Amino acid sequence: MREIKFRAYQDNEMLFSPISSNYGLNRFFGMLYEDTKIMQFTGEQDKMGANIYEGDLLEFNGGNQLAVFFEDGSFGCVDSSNNFLSFWAWNMLISEVVGNIHENKNK
């Protein structure tokens, strides 16, 4: 089963949920502002062992960078043609987290 973890982008800073319990998550979410961007852990890791979250930018062998989203019940990326590509069709070990859509807005 996948570990449930969150992070948030607030005031130009990335915050991570300190505890995976309901109490810890309630406390974490209670500290956030209304316009804070919340990202969930996908349960996947990249080729370097980094956790992959919603909003991350993944770079693949060919140099292509795609952003991670949650859509229709699954995590995946949106390609340059705006097609959603679900993670179940990929080997995440060929990707590397190189940033995220909130801190790298020009990507």
Side-chain angles (χ1 to χ4, degrees):
M1 179 162 60
R2 162 175 88 75
E3 185 177 6
I4 305 297
K5 298 192 294 188
F6 294 89
R7 71 178 185 193
Y9 190 69
Q10 174 176 287
D11 291 337
N12 297 319
E13 183 180 2
M14 196 63 71
L15 308 171
F16 291 85
S17 59
I19 304 169
S20 295
S21 69
N22 285 339
Y23 170 75
L25 289 175
N26 286 339
R27 196 168 138 213
F28 176 69
F29 287 120
M31 298 183 324
L32 302 177
Y33 304 141
E34 190 173 310
D35 61 344
T36 298
K37 308 297 184 216
I38 299 171
M39 295 152 276
Q40 187 172 1
F41 175 51
T42 65
E44 300 286 344
Q45 293 182 328
D46 72 0
K47 67 183 181 183
M48 304 302 281
N51 291 338
I52 301 173
Y53 285 83
E54 287 179 89
D56 278 343
L57 292 172
L58 300 180
E59 184 170 286
F60 292 87
N61 290 341
N64 294 334
Q65 290 187 6
L66 301 176
V68 177
F69 293 98
F70 186 82
E71 185 175 299
D72 294 329
S74 97
F75 291 101
C77 293
V78 175
D79 67 14
S80 59
S81 300
N82 219 21
N83 296 314
F84 182 77
L85 309 167
S86 179
F87 276 1
W88 64 265
W90 299 7
N91 177 358
M92 290 291 88
L93 296 178
I94 63 168
S95 68
E96 183 175 359
V97 176
V98 294
N100 66 73
I101 61 173
H102 305 292
E103 294 173 316
N104 304 84
K105 293 185 186 283
N106 59 337
K107 301 279 182 186

